[in-house]
Amino acid sequence: MITKLLREATPSFTWRHRLDNWRTEIFAGFVGAILVIPQGITYAYLAGLQPEYGLYCAIFVTLFSSLLGTSSMMSGPNTAVAILIGTAVVPLAGRGSPIYIDYVFLLCLMVGIVQLLFWLLRGARVFQYLSPAAISGISAGAGFLIIMASLDSILDLSTFKTTFFYEKLYVILSDAGSLVNPYSFVIGICTIVAGYVGRRYSPRYFIIIAVCAGYICGLLVAFIWPQTETELEYLGRMPLEWLPFAVPTVNIEYLMTSLKLIPYAIAIAFIGLAQSLVIVRELKMETDQHIDLDKEVYAQGVSSILAPFFSSFAGSGSFNRTKVNQSLGATTPLSGIVAGVFVLVLITFLGPILTYMPMAAMAGTLFIVGMDMIKWHDITHYSLVRSELVIYLCTFVGIMFFGLAVGIEIAVFLSISVFLVRISQLDIKVEQSNSEPVLKVKGALFYASVAHLTEQFQSAVGKNLTVDLQYTTHIDQSAVDFFNREAKNMATKENTLTLMINEKQRRFLEKLGANATIKIVMI
Amino acid sequence: MRISQLVLCVMLLLVPFAANHAQQDQPSITQLLNEPFLDDYYSNVVYGYEIVTNTQEHASRYVGNSLNCSNCHLQAGTQKDALPLNVAGMYPKWRAKNGKRNGIGLRIRECFLYSMDGIMPTEDAPEVLAIAAYITYLSQGQVLGAEPEGRGVPTIPDTGYDPNPANGRAVYLAQCASCHGQQGKGLGQMPAVWGGDSYNKGAGMNRIQMAAGFIWANMPLGNAKSLSYQQALDVSAYLNLQYRPADPNDSKFLKLLEHLIN
């Protein structure tokens, strides 16, 4: 066991034998780096941090999880994780203030620890119980939150805060004239339109097209009106260092306050892993990469723990960048490693140009990303099965009204409930042989599902009854107790209960104390 | 005997602490800096202090030159007659320029835009809020609405002569160049007084009266008030003529270029 864990804990680099087309990998990494820059900046904004933290996240989280991982998944800043970090820490300190950053770092440490616990407890399997509808619901809900957050910046609403989205919409609509900053609105719209038009021509790079359009529009505005008049928010200079070492402050006072962060740490750890594992599993199905799920969990955990030491926050796998990466032909973690390094190089050169990047343009791309996360075909897809649709909609609406953390709880709770209801269902067929009913039971017979048998037994009062347990997967104590009780009842009416079971089940029944009144027939 | 001596010693040792505590109702910056944990307000005060004294590192996002706030707001904004920052009680204040009452936030942002030749942070940027907290901290004990003693810079009385840049150049070379350099770029740790790394043409320091007041009251550093009023006016007229970054309100294209290049 320990050697297995150790093997998982060290980077394996088994993929180095598959590096025959390393040029593709490097190109894919380069594209990934370009795509992650706007994401890093905007997700840092969602997390309430200065943009450079998002870029550090894009560099180091991507780098670490690719170094330790086994797949071509692109990790890095992630929407849901960023939103959760923001909602967790905002009540404790003002956005972006030094204490705030300390708390974010502490939170990420906790996330990493929780994720490593998942790894030690072989938690990768847990995520199989999370229904795909729940994941789509969470992603759609996160998309909605992102759209709402992007409106803040597109319309320049920084000065007022609302709790519910409809309040915000109402305020915007009722007082648009005095609230909305026309300059940032124009830049935002320009970005969004360019994004949607650009997608026609280049579905891969349209975000870049959108950013460029927004940037140029911003330059034009800055050229005609001074900043004192437009009140536009610009990205500004980013003081990037190549090795931004930081030591997260950990002391008693922080730890006391950060107890409040624990539920969020668990939620972030969970949602981060859930997304990464969905991506990895898809990759595993669609490509022939040798992917080790546990190892991916470990890579994610370690990169979350290391993130605060490199001035970045926790991240997770990115659906869209992994897709682009895959479509460019990357099959090894090399592309991720290269992407991390390229971000560093690109930002060093792009830095001065990005100074005048209007935040409204960044928010415009965020808007597009948010819209993409709410997929209509998901709803039509899941509407075929009622329980899935319920999970999807409840998660989505829960996130809309109560935030992402609550939404995730709802999703997990509903997935587990549906799962439990499903497996506690028994498939009972009633056949007649010699005018005596024979019950053929399919499924797991345990405390939750025994109730279904009761009804059948009641309708067969006064007859000899045979229960065929051939296709039963599991029998527990309460089922045996149930049979004992029923057999006794039937004996008083001079009827017998017959169980048809196999050898293994017989031994089991004996161990659990089956009554002598039950007649046993071996198959 | 021994024990009572010991107790006495301990009590004597405690006296300065107790007295210190009684005197001040708020901790000093040095005390705050040594604290391992600060609440939201004091951590912002410390952050604000760090930004003011080392803007280059702590608020570089918005800075376009190589100055720090404390280059003009001397002693981290605590020195009288050197644009002290204990002015929270003076805001919000009515501005003819935009016809609105503006809080301290706008004033801070303008110093970023002009004096630091950078870009304006938003009103709710963490840096702005932190500086505002620091200004509130400095203003502790001031009467609200009353002009603090030594606010801004002293007004230079009318000397009867126009400022003369040619005389100013002579004064500059004699008195200032040793620190600020022949080319005004600043030597070593000294700040630049003109050129691409100094305040821009929209800055308050680019007004002759303002700069003359500042220079008369504070420069040459360590030998303040040694210049005559006329010399101060002359040298600020000289500074005013030198090349420096464009005013972001007048020449936007130039401004864009400047920012993109450096």
Side-chain angles (χ1 to χ4, degrees), chain B residues 57-219:
Chain B
E57 186 173 330
H58 295 281
S60 52
R61 194 175 161 195
Y62 306 110
V63 174
N65 57 21
S66 61
L67 297 184
N68 294 311
C69 304
S70 59
N71 287 154
C72 300
H73 303 279
L74 298 188
Q75 305 296 330
T78 56
Q79 186 163 321
K80 284 178 193 154
D81 291 339
L83 304 157
L85 291 176
N86 54 351
V87 292
M90 305 303 299
Y91 294 85
K93 158 173 121 175
W94 190 77
R95 278 286 198 86
K97 212 161 141 194
N98 60 3
K100 277 194 202 148
R101 287 194 166 272
N102 288 302
I104 188 79
L106 182 67
R107 195 51 258 214
I108 296 171
R109 295 160 67 209
E110 282 176 344
C111 259
F112 271 110
L113 184 66
Y114 303 113
S115 299
M116 308 299 291
D117 186 39
I119 58 175
M120 244 162 125
T122 49
E123 191 78 42
D124 62 347
E127 289 85 355
V128 173
L129 296 179
I131 296 172
Y134 177 62
I135 290 177
T136 312
Y137 166 89
L138 287 184
S139 314
Q140 199 66 240
Q142 302 287 342
V143 181
L144 279 183
E147 185 115 331
E149 202 192 324
R151 182 180 181 203
V153 296
T155 332
I156 300 287
D158 192 2
T159 53
Y161 297 96
D162 278 344
N164 182 337
N167 290 348
R169 182 181 148 79
V171 176
Y172 183 85
L173 291 177
Q175 306 255 23
C176 322
S178 56
C179 289
H180 292 291
Q182 299 265 347
Q183 298 304 315
K185 285 203 169 64
L187 301 172
Q189 292 299 308
M190 304 297 161
V193 284
W194 73 76
D197 265 339
S198 192
Y199 52 89
N200 67 34
K201 286 193 176 137
M205 200 55 91
N206 200 38
R207 271 178 274 142
I208 294 179
Q209 280 294 328
M210 178 79 69
F214 177 85
I215 290 165
W216 179 78
N218 305 292
M219 289 293 144

Side-chain angles (χ1 to χ4, degrees), chain A residues 50-51 93-99 103 158 215 219 222-228 231-237 239 251 253-254 257 352-353 355-356 359, chain B residues 36-40 43-44 47 60-64 106 109-110 113-114 118-124 126-127 248-249 252-253 255-256 259-262:
Chain A
Q50 280 86 343
R95 295 172 123 250
S97 64
I99 288 209
Y103 280 126
S158 55
Y215 179 67
L219 279 189
F223 179 47
I224 306 176
W225 295 281
Q227 202 197 354
T228 39
E231 292 273 333
L232 279 179
E233 183 180 5
Y234 290 110
L235 187 55
R237 251 157 248 272
N251 60 36
E253 280 90 349
Y254 273 110
T257 341
I353 297 178
T355 306
Y356 260 87
M359 283 313 267
Chain B
F37 178 82
L38 296 166
D39 62 11
D40 190 40
S43 75
N44 268 306
Y47 187 30
S60 52
R61 194 175 161 195
Y62 306 110
V63 174
L106 182 67
R109 295 160 67 209
E110 282 176 344
L113 184 66
Y114 303 113
I119 58 175
M120 244 162 125
T122 49
E123 191 78 42
D124 62 347
E127 289 85 355
N249 286 318
K252 286 152 224 116
F253 186 61
K255 194 80 229 159
L256 274 184
H259 273 286
L260 293 186
I261 289 166
N262 63 72

Side-chain angles (χ1 to χ4, degrees), chain A residues 39 258 385 414 426 479 513:
Chain A
Q39 286 184 356
S258 57
V385 182
L414 287 181
L426 282 182

